[in-house]
């Protein structure tokens, strides 16, 4: 049990997706102008990552991993190079499914998400979650915890950045630094803060 | 075709003026993650430029046959197949760099730059201009990557392409490496400063302020 909790903390804070691994930065910067939309994006990320990483883990281990077809008489078959296409397909389908379920049963939430949901298909953080799962060969339980943890880390980071940026809208910045420039500097400062989590993890 | 296409403009526009990374906010994820050394930055730039150019060509060639409703899926599958080829090539011939790039080669698939250019340009243009546009955007992306990768490696380790350029203090020289340059925050700072520099040179790129502060009331006499 402690192993899974450690993995959750590591995925959420030590290896924070946008701030230490630079994943999903496009949406991270584009949708963090207001804390409200940032929170919406964060919740959607938790949902999609929590579903797709374990699902891709099942697909990879049952169909694509080297030796997965040995029961059918093909012990040497190695389909792992197809992982990328399979993962993208699963992510696109999961996002579509999530959108339909929300539309049918929770129309308010669906309306609040607006355009973010379909955008998540091409979000690098989500695909990276599945690719890391393969690279570090997680089990099913570990991959579920890893997916949820990464989603929580992303949500925390994007909400904080949204809050800071909405305050900064009133600041008198040099013209060239306004918008994108200051967002990068802010992300760098937050990244410094999150680097201290890595120090804590190393000290243990 | 009656309308002549200015290839030179299509090629040079994305280098600075319409740079994909600093102006269009496309493909930032990989731009920051792989720039700890110049060698990985160059490999990533070449891979991305190849994938971008080829996928723009392929998608532009079959653009009249792709149904509009499923075009995203078709485009992603084409890009993913190209990325798999590049990934296998890197693993076969550049095993060390391939390990350093880790999952980021696979992430070219979801690099917003690739999908953004195919959506915005290749889908409506003939293969020739589409590939030139993609190549130009690839070069603009590479330019930023190489600048940041060079700065981080030079000041982080005193090396360029793994060759010692600045003599280190440990080895009797004068340069003390800034280890912060190898960590995540410095990449954000460098890119932020680069955006600031470009927008100071080209003021028309600066974003309009969201709120105009009210004029200060004159102090009463």
């Amino acid at each position: 049990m402690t192993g899974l909790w450690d993995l959750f903390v590591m995925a959420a804070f030590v290896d924070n997706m946008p701030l230490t691994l630079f994943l999903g930065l496009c949406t991270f910067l584009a949708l963090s102008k207001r804390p409200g939309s940032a929170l919406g994006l964060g919740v959607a990320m938790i949902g999609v990552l929590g579903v797709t990483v374990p699902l891709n883990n099942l697909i990879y281990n049952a169909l694509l991993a080297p030796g997965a077809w040995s029961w059918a008489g093909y012990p040497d078959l190695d389909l792992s190079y197809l992982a990328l296409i399979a993962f993208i397909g699963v992510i696109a389908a999961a996002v579509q499914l999530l959108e339909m379920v929300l539309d049918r049963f929770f129309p308010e939430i669906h309306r609040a998400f607006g355009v973010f949901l379909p955008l998540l298909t091409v979000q690098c953080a989500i695909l990276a979650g599945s690719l890391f799962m393969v690279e570090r060969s997680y089990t099913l339980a570990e991959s579920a915890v890893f997916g949820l943890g990464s989603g929580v880390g992303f949500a925390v980071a994007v909400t904080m950045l949204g809050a800071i940026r909405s305050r900064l809208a009133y600041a008198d910045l040099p013209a060239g630094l306004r918008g994108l420039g200051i967002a990068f500097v802010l992300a760098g400062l937050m990244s410094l803060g999150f680097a201290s989590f890595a120090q804590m993890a190393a000290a243990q | 075709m009656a309308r002549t296409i200015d290839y030179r403009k299509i090629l040079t526009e994305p280098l600075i003026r319409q740079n994909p990374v600093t102006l269009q906010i496309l493909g930032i994820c990989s731009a920051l993650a792989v720039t700890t050394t110049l060698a990985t930055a160059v490999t990533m730039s070449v891979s991305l430029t190849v994938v971008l150019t080829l996928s723009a060509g392929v998608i532009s060639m079959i653009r009249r046959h792709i149904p509009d409703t499923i075009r995203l899926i078709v485009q992603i599958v084409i890009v993913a197949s190209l990325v798999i080829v590049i990934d296998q090539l890197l693993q076969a011939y550049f095993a060390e760099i391939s390990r350093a790039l880790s999952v980021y080669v696979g992430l070219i698939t979801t690099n917003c730059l690739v999908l953004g250019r195919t959506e915005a340009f290749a889908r409506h243009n003939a293969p020739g201009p589409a590939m030139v546009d993609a190549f130009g955007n690839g070069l603009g992306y590479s330019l930023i990557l190489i600048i940041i990768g060079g700065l981080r490696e030079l000041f982080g380790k005193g090396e360029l392409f793994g060759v010692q350029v600045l003599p280190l203090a440990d080895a009797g020289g004068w340069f003390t490496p800034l280890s912060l340059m190898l960590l995540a925050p410095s990449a954000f700072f460098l890119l932020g400063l680069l955006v600031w520099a470009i927008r100071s040179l080209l003021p028309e790129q600066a974003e309009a302020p969201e709120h105009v502060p009210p004029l200060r009331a004159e102090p009463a006499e």
Side-chain angles (χ1 to χ4, degrees):
Chain A
M1 208 45 220
T2 53
L4 288 183
W5 174 246
D6 283 348
L7 184 66
F8 180 85
V9 172
M10 191 208 75
F13 296 110
V14 179
D15 275 347
N16 188 280
M17 280 244 175
L19 292 176
T20 41
L21 298 178
F22 308 110
L23 293 168
L25 277 182
C26 309
T27 35
F28 182 68
L29 293 172
L31 292 180
S32 59
K33 284 194 174 140
R34 295 275 167 279
S37 59
L39 188 64
L41 174 70
V43 174
M45 284 294 289
I46 297 177
V48 176
L49 267 170
V51 172
T52 55
V53 177
L55 202 61
N56 279 333
N57 181 280
L58 282 180
I59 290 180
Y60 183 79
N61 285 330
L63 297 177
L64 300 173
W69 288 88
S70 53
W71 55 270
Y74 299 105
D76 297 330
L77 197 60
D78 178 4
L79 291 178
S80 53
Y81 64 91
L82 285 179
L84 213 62
I85 289 190
F87 291 169
I88 277 284
V90 168
I91 291 169
V95 170
Q96 193 75 50
L97 203 68
L98 187 72
E99 193 177 5
M100 279 152 64
V101 168
L102 283 181
D103 193 21
R104 173 74 181 78
F105 296 107
F106 307 98
E108 289 94 38
I109 302 180
H110 182 250
R111 223 167 303 132
F113 277 150
V115 296
F116 309 147
L117 267 180
L119 269 184
L120 291 183
T121 315
V122 288
Q123 234 266 15
C124 13
I126 294 174
L127 182 63
S130 297
L131 291 176
F132 276 129
M133 174 271 294
V134 170
E135 202 179 72
R136 302 173 187 168
S137 41
Y138 287 137
T139 63
L140 182 62
E142 280 172 347
S143 58
V145 170
F146 176 72
L148 281 177
S150 312
V152 169
F154 192 96
V156 169
V158 80
T159 315
M160 279 163 56
L161 186 66
I164 302 176
R165 281 183 78 178
S166 72
R167 292 292 297 242
L168 269 185
Y170 300 99
D172 189 16
L173 295 167
L177 205 54
R178 228 175 274 141
L180 189 59
I182 194 70
F184 274 124
V185 176
L186 282 178
L189 289 173
M190 286 171 66
S191 171
L192 267 184
F194 273 76
S196 62
F197 287 114
Q199 294 293 325
M200 281 161 61
Q204 270 177 4
Chain B
M1 200 182 282
R3 188 166 53 103
T4 52
I5 299 160
D6 190 353
Y7 285 100
R8 207 170 141 256
K9 186 155 175 270
I10 298 178
L11 182 66
T12 53
E13 197 78 331
L15 283 185
I16 303 268
R17 202 164 286 278
Q18 287 288 329
N19 189 287
V21 180
T22 60
L23 183 67
Q24 306 176 33
I25 332 187
L26 293 176
I28 300 173
C29 329
S30 50
L32 294 174
V34 299
T35 50
T36 41
T37 64
L38 201 50
T40 52
V42 170
T43 319
M44 188 68 187
S45 311
V46 174
S47 319
L48 186 111
T49 311
V50 170
V51 170
L52 188 58
T53 314
L54 289 181
S55 62
V58 172
I59 287 165
S60 168
M61 263 185 263
I62 59 170
R63 68 187 187 283
R64 295 186 208 285
H65 304 285
I66 305 178
D68 217 30
T69 41
I70 58 160
R71 62 164 197 278
L72 275 181
I73 304 219
V74 174
Q75 288 168 1
I76 288 184
V77 169
I78 292 173
V79 175
S81 335
L82 288 167
V83 170
I84 290 176
V85 173
I86 295 274
D87 195 21
Q88 302 275 324
L89 276 180
L90 283 181
Q91 281 179 18
Y93 296 105
F94 302 96
E96 209 170 296
I97 291 184
S98 168
R99 257 195 304 282
L101 286 174
S102 162
V103 299
Y104 291 97
V105 176
L107 288 178
I108 296 178
T109 322
T110 49
N111 195 313
C112 359
L113 179 53
V114 179
L115 270 185
R117 286 332 287 175
T118 52
E119 266 292 285
F121 200 89
R123 210 155 58 83
H124 311 290
N125 287 282
M131 286 176 80
V132 173
D133 170 78
F135 188 65
N137 274 286
L139 285 186
Y141 172 90
S142 312
L143 187 70
I144 301 290
L145 243 73
I146 289 170
I147 292 177
I148 296 184
L151 283 175
R152 283 179 77 181
E153 193 178 351
L154 182 65
F155 291 113
K157 289 189 203 155
E159 299 174 350
L160 281 178
F161 283 116
V163 177
Q164 205 70 42
V165 178
L166 304 175
L168 289 188
D170 304 345
W174 50 271
F175 181 69
T176 312
L178 300 164
S179 47
L180 176 70
M181 275 293 175
L182 298 179
L183 297 178
S186 73
F188 283 111
F189 291 139
L190 281 176
L191 195 52
L193 294 178
L194 201 61
V195 170
W196 190 7
I198 289 179
R199 290 187 177 181
S200 309
L201 293 176
L202 303 169
E204 72 273 12
Q205 286 192 1
E207 291 169 37
E210 274 183 75
H211 301 276
V212 180
L215 288 174
R216 200 165 290 164
E218 290 294 317
E221 303 235 351

